[in-house]
Amino acid sequence: MMYTAVFMLVAALAQVQGQAVNLQATFDPEQVEFNMDYTYYVNVEVTGTGLEAGDQLLITTDAEHVATGEWNSTAVVTDTNGFSGVVRVYGHFLGRTDLYLELLRGGAQTPIPGSLSVIIIRPVRVIDSVFTTSVAVFVSLIFINFGCAMHWPTVKSVLRRPIGPAIGMVGQFLFMPLMSFGIGYLIFPDAADMRLGMFFTGVAPGGGASNIWTFILGGNLNLSLAMTSISTLASFGFMPAWLFSLGQVVFRDANIVVPYARIATFVVGLIVPMGIGLGMQRWTPKIAAFMVRILKGFSTLLLLFIIVFAIVTNLYIFELFTWQIIVAGMGIPWLGYMFGYALAKIFKRPHPDALAISIETGIQNTGIAIFLLRYALPQPEADLTTVVPVSAAIMTPVPMMMIYTYQKIAACIRNRNNPKGGETTQEAESTTEKIENANEVQVEPSRSSEEEKY
């Protein structure tokens, strides 16, 4: 009998103890999605048995850098039959996290079943639209200048013997996708979304900045322009092929949509301004020659504008930078530069051609990569994965800037050692002559006598 009484007492105590943790938290709504730096109010109820007066309810999240919560009123239990209140959720940064409650009693914390799914996304800002529009306008002006500087007979000769473009195609649409695929698995073995971001960057066509850097550094501008046009047109076939083959291996659940309209807009954005510049060569030779003279300075200012403005408007994304992201950003363009130049030299191309091929291979159109990712993934993953192409865009000009700095320092040393003295490189030759000597581009706005002046 005594053993039976003890057993019944232990069972009764266990039942009471079980009631103490028999709670459920219910959130209304069960999932919230809002912009970072904003707040959201959510109703919550705790039901069940075992609450005691004086119990406290704590709010915790899995990722406090993404979102946190606090009570909008008291968090002390006064009614043992249940609890209801309002949680104020703070969105700190892009990402997903779960918010849940814990029961605090006597220094011990007990999780309460039930959670709130929190999704923090990036707001669409006016400054983003201003940046995109201003870059589009300035790039259009640059390509008008390129049209003024383009020597059409040279371009036609390049197309008749497309050795340079063929080398560039191998680098652009064979080496870059395979390299980004392999390096992605090496750097991000457990992050499929980041691998996808890297692969999308690798399959993008060449960027318009390749023409600007080719011109500034003394490469073959005509070859660069021809390669950019061919690369962009070829991307209509190569990008879907890569995205629906290796792209599915990287992230099988991605709903990939190839933005044909975006690519077509980019093609028109290249061809129309260059056509205007070519027309200026024929019908307004004076203006065309002036545009050529200001091309290098204007191109340099544009690149600085893009770099500085892009960093200022996307400062938030630097919080996502890790050593893997930095290495990925360097690996995509820098390995492309080296492969393109080495392959060009294997085929015995002259230095201006090899430089143009190298730059065209390494510089990717990261804008198209970002656009693809935002179609392929839901938010906030769409923005989170774009950190890879953003990192690539930041790291892309670093070698070019180093080469440009070296060229300027070397030019200053040569001028200083010039026995005649007092005459700088800019005073000794015009910008048009620089194009002819360094880039092997013959600027011939027209056959009029005005050509002699410039």
Side-chain angles (χ1 to χ4, degrees):
M1 293 291 293
M2 185 174 64
Y3 287 110
T4 302
V6 171
F7 177 79
M8 292 177 64
L9 178 61
V10 171
L13 290 174
Q15 183 178 9
V16 172
Q17 182 67 21
Q19 291 177 352
V21 295
N22 187 20
L23 299 172
Q24 178 70 39
T26 304
F27 296 88
D28 183 23
E30 297 179 349
Q31 177 177 297
V32 295
E33 178 179 319
F34 58 100
N35 294 334
M36 62 186 205
D37 298 325
Y38 282 73
T39 58
Y40 202 101
Y41 292 88
V42 178
N43 297 315
V44 61
E45 289 187 359
V46 178
T47 57
T49 58
L51 281 177
E52 296 180 1
D55 287 345
Q56 288 186 316
L57 298 175
L58 306 180
I59 302 172
T60 60
T61 57
D62 292 328
E64 293 188 352
H65 72 282
V66 174
T68 56
E70 67 176 28
W71 291 107
N72 199 40
S73 56
T74 180
V76 179
V77 175
T78 57
D79 186 353
T80 58
N81 293 322
F83 175 87
S84 62
V86 177
V87 174
R88 185 189 298 114
V89 184
Y90 295 93
H92 302 304
F93 197 68
L94 302 174
R96 295 174 182 262
T97 187
D98 288 326
L99 181 148
Y100 51 93
L101 304 182
E102 291 184 349
L103 177 68
L104 176 62
R105 178 187 297 171
Q109 295 180 210
T110 304
I112 300 176
S115 63
L116 170 70
S117 176
V118 181
I119 303 172
I120 307 300
I121 61 176
R122 179 175 61 90
V124 177
R125 303 166 300 172
V126 175
I127 193 172
D128 296 322
S129 300
V130 172
F131 173 64
T132 303
T133 303
S134 59
V135 169
V137 171
F138 288 142
V139 169
S140 296
L141 292 174
I142 283 291
F143 273 85
I144 291 175
N145 284 15
F146 285 152
C148 294
M150 181 185 291
H151 187 234
W152 187 242
T154 305
V155 174
K156 287 193 292 187
S157 68
V158 168
L159 297 177
R160 280 195 297 265
R161 298 188 60 197
I163 300 175
I167 298 172
M169 290 282 288
V170 171
Q172 187 73 60
F173 291 112
L174 183 61
F175 173 76
M176 295 299 284
L178 292 176
M179 179 271 294
S180 62
F181 178 83
I183 297 295
Y185 270 93
L186 183 64
I187 300 177
F188 306 110
D190 301 318
D193 51 352
M194 291 300 172
R195 293 201 302 271
L196 190 65
M198 190 163 183
F199 184 66
F200 273 32
T201 307
V203 301
S210 61
N211 311 123
I212 301 174
W213 280 115
T214 298
F215 176 79
I216 291 175
L217 299 182
N220 187 332
L221 178 60
N222 287 316
L223 175 59
S224 177
L225 291 170
M227 289 174 62
T228 299
S229 301
I230 294 171
S231 167
T232 306
L233 291 171
S235 67
F236 277 85
F238 281 105
M239 287 183 65
W242 284 117
L243 292 177
F244 288 109
S245 55
L246 288 184
Q248 296 295 324
V249 175
V250 177
F251 196 19
R252 298 181 186 278
D253 297 329
N255 182 22
I256 297 175
V257 178
V258 181
Y260 288 107
R262 177 67 176 257
I263 299 174
T265 302
F266 182 71
V267 173
V268 173
L270 289 177
I271 294 175
V272 171
M274 282 195 294
I276 293 173
L278 287 169
M280 291 172 64
Q281 281 194 39
R282 180 175 180 83
W283 292 295
T284 58
K286 288 184 179 181
I287 299 177
F290 171 76
M291 296 289 281
V292 171
R293 287 206 302 273
I294 68 170
L295 179 54
K296 179 168 286 190
F298 188 64
S299 301
T300 305
L301 289 175
L302 172 63
L303 286 173
L304 291 174
F305 169 79
I306 292 175
I307 293 169
V308 173
F309 206 161
I311 291 174
V312 170
T313 56
N314 296 282
L315 285 174
Y316 73 91
I317 212 165
F318 287 97
E319 296 187 34
L320 296 171
F321 269 49
T322 60
W323 70 265
Q324 292 98 330
I325 296 296
I326 295 174
V327 171
M330 291 189 299
I332 294 173
W334 295 12
L335 291 175
Y337 294 145
M338 291 186 286
F339 177 84
Y341 194 88
L343 189 62
K345 280 302 183 181
I346 289 174
F347 285 90
K348 300 180 179 180
R349 307 311 298 165
H351 173 72
D353 287 11
L355 184 60
I357 294 169
S358 170
I359 295 173
E360 189 69 26
T361 302
I363 295 183
Q364 301 296 95
N365 192 321
T366 53
I368 287 181
I370 292 171
F371 188 79
L372 281 167
L373 288 168
R374 288 181 177 171
Y375 260 94
L377 302 174
Q379 292 291 358
E381 287 79 12
D383 275 334
L384 292 172
T385 54
T386 57
V387 67
V388 177
V390 168
S391 176
I394 293 172
M395 299 300 173
T396 292
V398 173
M400 306 294 99
M401 294 175 69
M402 293 174 64
I403 295 173
Y404 180 69
T405 302
Y406 167 78
Q407 289 180 345
K408 300 301 287 185
I409 293 174
C412 289
I413 293 174
R414 285 196 300 269
N415 290 337
R416 184 175 297 177
N417 295 332
N418 187 350
K420 295 181 180 180
E423 186 178 51
T424 65
T425 303
Q426 288 79 9
E427 295 168 336
E429 57 179 357
S430 67
T431 305
T432 304
E433 291 170 337
K434 282 192 218 176
I435 299 172
E436 294 173 349
N437 296 334
N439 303 333
E440 298 183 358
V441 177
Q442 300 174 6
V443 180
E444 295 183 7
S446 74
R447 297 294 181 180
S448 69
S449 60
E450 293 297 335
E451 188 181 40
E452 313 297 332
K453 296 182 181 179
Y454 303 103

